[in-house]
Amino acid sequence: MYPAKFTYHAPWSVEEAITLMNENEDSKLIAGGHSLLPTMKMRLATPAHLIDMKNLRSLLSYIHDKGDHIAIGSLTTYHQIESSSLVKQAAAILAQTVSEVGDMQVRNMGTLGGSIAHADPAGDPPAAILASNATMVIQSSGGERTVAASDFFQGFFETAVGAGEILKEIRVPKFSGGSSYQKFKHPASGYAVAGVAVCLTKNGGNIGGVSVSVTGVSDGAYRANGVEAALTGQAFSEALAASAAAHAIDGIDALEDPFADAAYRGQLAKTLAKRAIIAAWNNA
Amino acid sequence: MKVSIKVNGQNYTRDIEERTLLVHFLREQAGLTGTHIGCETSLCGACTVLLNGNAVKSCTVLAASADGTEVTTVEGLAKGNELHPIQEGFWEKHGLQCGFCTPGFLMATVQLLERNPNPTEDEIRHGLEGNYCRCTGYHNIVKAVQFAAAKMRGEAIAAD
Ligand SMILES: Cc1cc2nc3c(=O)[nH]c(=O)nc-3n(C[C@H](O)[C@H](O)[C@H](O)COP(=O)(O)OP(=O)(O)OC[C@H]3O[C@@H](n4cnc5c(N)ncnc54)[C@H](O)[C@@H]3O)c2cc1C
Ligand code: FES
Ligand code: FES
């Protein structure tokens, strides 16, 4: 299984990569290649120009402590993130979520930037990005801009990253409350049939702030506002977790495929939401 | 395009098509057919090799992206006639039947034990999730990895 022919480029700077994208209309960036190469081998993607970011790794592969947030270069691999003590301690939801992506080999190659720029509806990392209120730094020939997670994911494989733009950095606010990612894996591919990420703070016996995001269920990951509203400020109990979780797919047309119909997927999302809320409470 | 990859310590410089996958480079250009192609769809792990020390599925890496890197394949494990402890484990514990998946399991196990020299059974199964075996049912593969781990830690190994 060979990809279709393409012209190969391996630029040494972000600016050079952007120039190459602007000069070659039918071009694609390649990071870890673990979403792009499989689709190219199936000839679902046939870019005429492939712009390999391998020489940008020294620039865009890092995990920095920035005081109130952690700055993660877009080419940082899942393995680097899951084994970072800083991420485990100050952005536990991200560490846990990426450790559940694919398998060891996939986590050695796949990058955080590639995952969220790709925005696979069954991808795990978008859930953590939304629940942790991360900010994305995007560069084009016109300069740099930042986009909040809530504006970043725009539907089926669609994000705020436009033509001629590179996702450079992901800024994850530090968080010391409780968190949990609960996932139902597709038994063959390992992707999320449904996945729910929860971050919450405790205020005595009550829930303080809470964020809940869902992946796998809709055309893109989303914040489950109904669940959040039902939890905020309330006294915690397992019954509350269950009744709040029932709002996990409010306003959503759940996806259907041969493995899971819409009703089953929706039910998975609610069950996983309940488990994630309880688990996050227990480790807050 | 011209690509140079150091495989098991030896340099291979070849003129290849841009779209050549690393697994094809290894098998067809370097002539190292120990790395197998099972699924070609990134799932089975039979094509696992170490790329600059990281276990990767070589059917899902472009040879062009591996230009200038160091790759270790299953042919690079043994030292002459002396098997690597992981190979010995698979031999001793019958961690294979047809052997098709074995090169991939051996290379993934190298990485697993490097990161975790004393894994539990759960950790072994989790670490080898990216490798499929259609014959063994994994039971003996777990034992083989435990054997290798003990040997690499320098512990005495109980006979069966
Ligand atoms: C066997 C297997 C199992 C998997 N299981 C899971 C799973 O369980 N859960 C899960 O979430 N994912 C899974 N994945 C997908 C994996 O997470 C991918 O690695 C990830 O989705 C894409 O990251 P990448 O670095 O490989 O990106 P690439 O494949 O290189 O790129 C993906 C897309 O994003 C674009 N892109 C990449 N980087 C940037 C950037 N910095 N700026 C702008 N655009 C960019 C590319 O042009 C391309 O269109 C699996 C993949 C495989 C092969
Ligand atoms: S041949 Fe590469 S994963 Fe199956
Ligand atoms: S031994 Fe036959 S596939 Fe594993």
Side-chain angles (χ1 to χ4, degrees), chain B residues 95-102 105 132-138 141:
Chain B
L96 59 135
Q97 288 178 28
C98 78
F100 190 85
C101 67
T102 311
F105 270 97
Y132 292 174
C133 176
R134 298 290 79 174
C135 301
T136 67
Y138 304 102
I141 291 178

Side-chain angles (χ1 to χ4, degrees), chain A residues 41-191:
Chain A
K41 290 202 287 183
M42 310 262 278
R43 310 282 170 114
L44 295 170
T46 53
H49 294 266
L50 200 63
I51 304 168
D52 195 339
M53 293 195 281
K54 68 172 184 178
N55 296 328
L56 307 183
R57 249 176 246 148
S58 54
L59 295 168
L60 296 181
S61 164
Y62 55 81
I63 300 174
H64 293 318
D65 190 336
K66 292 285 183 180
D68 63 342
H69 70 272
I70 304 172
I72 302 178
S74 58
L75 294 182
T76 310
T77 62
Y78 298 129
H79 175 67
Q80 289 171 306
I81 295 170
E82 72 180 334
S83 50
S84 152
S85 50
L86 174 64
V87 179
K88 277 192 246 183
Q89 178 227 320
I93 190 66
L94 183 64
Q96 189 208 339
T97 303
V98 302
S99 76
E100 299 195 19
V101 170
D103 53 56
M104 179 177 74
Q105 291 94 316
V106 171
R107 291 193 297 277
N108 278 340
M109 284 300 288
T111 67
L112 182 61
S115 165
I116 64 177
H118 190 58
D120 192 311
D124 300 295
I129 294 298
L130 279 169
S132 58
N133 287 307
T135 300
M136 271 48 76
V137 182
I138 299 171
Q139 184 163 334
S140 67
S141 58
E144 238 178 58
R145 64 195 177 101
T146 56
V147 178
S150 50
D151 298 322
F152 185 82
F153 298 104
Q154 303 181 347
F156 206 58
F157 297 103
E158 281 293 326
T159 71
V161 182
E165 291 193 313
I166 287 188
L167 172 60
K168 263 177 70 178
E169 184 175 285
I170 297 97
R171 295 178 181 160
V172 187
K174 287 190 186 172
F175 182 70
S176 56
S179 68
S180 176
Y181 180 63
Q182 299 287 324
K183 166 184 186 183
F184 187 89
K185 278 185 180 196
H186 188 285
S189 75
Y191 278 90

Side-chain angles (χ1 to χ4, degrees), chain B residues 88-147:
Chain B
E88 207 184 316
F90 275 71
W91 172 288
E92 285 296 332
K93 297 294 171 184
H94 313 289
L96 59 135
Q97 288 178 28
C98 78
F100 190 85
C101 67
T102 311
F105 270 97
L106 296 173
M107 300 317 287
T109 302
V110 171
Q111 178 102 88
L112 170 70
L113 294 183
E114 184 186 274
R115 290 181 181 168
N116 182 356
N118 193 4
T120 63
E121 177 174 346
D122 273 357
E123 286 166 343
I124 293 170
R125 289 183 184 272
H126 180 64
L128 298 179
E129 245 168 18
N131 294 77
Y132 292 174
C133 176
R134 298 290 79 174
C135 301
T136 67
Y138 304 102
H139 193 69
N140 283 3
I141 291 178
V142 171
K143 288 190 184 169
V145 174
Q146 287 167 331
F147 177 101

Side-chain angles (χ1 to χ4, degrees), chain A residues 1-10 30-35 37-38 40-43 50 52 54-55 57 77 79 82 99-109 185 187-190, chain B residues 1 17-21 24 28 39-43 45 48 51-57 59-68 104 107-109 111-112 115 126-132:
Chain A
M1 262 166 116
Y2 275 76
K5 288 189 181 184
F6 52 79
T7 305
Y8 179 81
H9 310 267
I30 180 165
H34 271 47
S35 288
L37 277 178
M40 286 175 65
K41 290 202 287 183
M42 310 262 278
R43 310 282 170 114
L50 200 63
D52 195 339
K54 68 172 184 178
N55 296 328
R57 249 176 246 148
T77 62
H79 175 67
E82 72 180 334
S99 76
E100 299 195 19
V101 170
D103 53 56
M104 179 177 74
Q105 291 94 316
V106 171
R107 291 193 297 277
N108 278 340
M109 284 300 288
K185 278 185 180 196
S189 75
Chain B
M1 69 180 294
E17 263 196 83
E18 281 80 352
R19 58 182 172 157
T20 307
L21 299 168
H24 295 306
E28 289 156 25
C39 65
E40 285 193 83
T41 54
S42 328
L43 290 166
T48 301
L51 175 67
N52 284 342
N54 286 315
V56 303
K57 294 175 178 176
C59 73
T60 314
V61 177
L62 290 171
S65 300
D67 185 24
M107 300 317 287
T109 302
Q111 178 102 88
L112 170 70
R115 290 181 181 168
H126 180 64
L128 298 179
E129 245 168 18
N131 294 77
Y132 292 174

